Amino acid sequence: VNDAHDLWDNCVDVKPLFKKEHPEWLHQPDAFPDKFGAPCTTALDFRRKEVRDNRLAVIREIMEHDFDGLELDLLRDNVYFRPESALSDSYCMTDFIRQVRGLLDRLSEERGRYLELAIRIPHTVVGAQATGFDLATYAREGLVDIVIGGVGGNDGFGSVRCGVYDGNADAD
């Protein structure tokens, strides 16, 4: 959802056109000065409604095809909000996930079968909160069906069905 692998100078040819056309959608160098050994200046700033709308447009395009469910890889790269405001800005991500759930629910009704939503996020509740994910709200509102915890890359996976989370911020 927010891949920033195009941040290095030698990746200029693979930077998506929308990032070139809308540099104001990207985090500024001071937000993540040394995230990957360089300032993370190609990650999308999810505080901006137009960024969330752009990602929703991609999801709507995917929904033109037949599928059984959707996984949002929110761990690659999980730099949606400035570190100092991730908790207070988490409503932006909650709204985004709420909109995706709404799209899936409408499509489920049309297709006559339930479409699950999975999210891939940091593997601890504290880590998820620190990067802008409000798991208690997701569970309370039934926004996601599966939470896949990870530490980045392809290691450290584990998943749980939603509804088990009890809102205890100290839980791992």
Side-chain angles (χ1 to χ4, degrees), residues 48-117:
R48 302 184 66 97
K49 183 179 182 321
E50 53 275 38
V51 166
R52 297 188 309 273
D53 288 347
N54 173 274
R55 303 290 78 195
L56 284 169
V58 172
I59 291 168
R60 282 188 188 95
E61 198 173 312
I62 292 166
M63 291 182 169
E64 294 173 10
H65 304 280
D66 191 27
F67 59 93
D68 295 320
L70 183 68
E71 177 187 338
L72 298 178
D73 185 352
L74 299 168
L75 193 55
R76 179 169 281 177
D77 290 297
N78 62 336
V79 287
Y80 298 95
F81 309 107
R82 296 179 67 93
E84 66 273 13
S85 66
L87 286 173
S88 61
D89 290 332
S90 66
Y91 73 92
C92 297
M93 183 59 72
T94 300
D95 182 60
F96 174 74
I97 291 174
R98 196 178 281 127
Q99 289 183 65
V100 173
R101 177 76 265 159
L103 291 171
L104 286 170
D105 287 347
R106 285 188 289 284
L107 193 57
S108 292
E109 219 172 278
E110 289 173 22
R111 294 186 179 171
R113 69 181 194 277
Y114 184 74
L115 300 171
E116 290 188 322
L117 177 59

Side-chain angles (χ1 to χ4, degrees), residues 5-20 42:
H5 283 86
D6 53 356
L7 74 95
W8 292 283
D9 291 337
N10 63 348
C11 295
V12 71
D13 293 336
V14 298
K15 182 181 276 188
L17 184 59
F18 71 88
K19 287 184 178 182
K20 293 177 185 176
T42 62

Side-chain angles (χ1 to χ4, degrees), residues 125 129 135-136 139-140 164-171:
V125 172
Q129 289 173 331
L135 297 176
R140 187 174 46 256
V164 176
Y165 175 70
D166 66 3
N168 180 357
D170 296 325

Side-chain angles (χ1 to χ4, degrees), residues 154-167:
N154 294 319
D155 55 352
F157 287 91
S159 66
V160 295
R161 289 275 170 187
C162 280
V164 176
Y165 175 70
D166 66 3

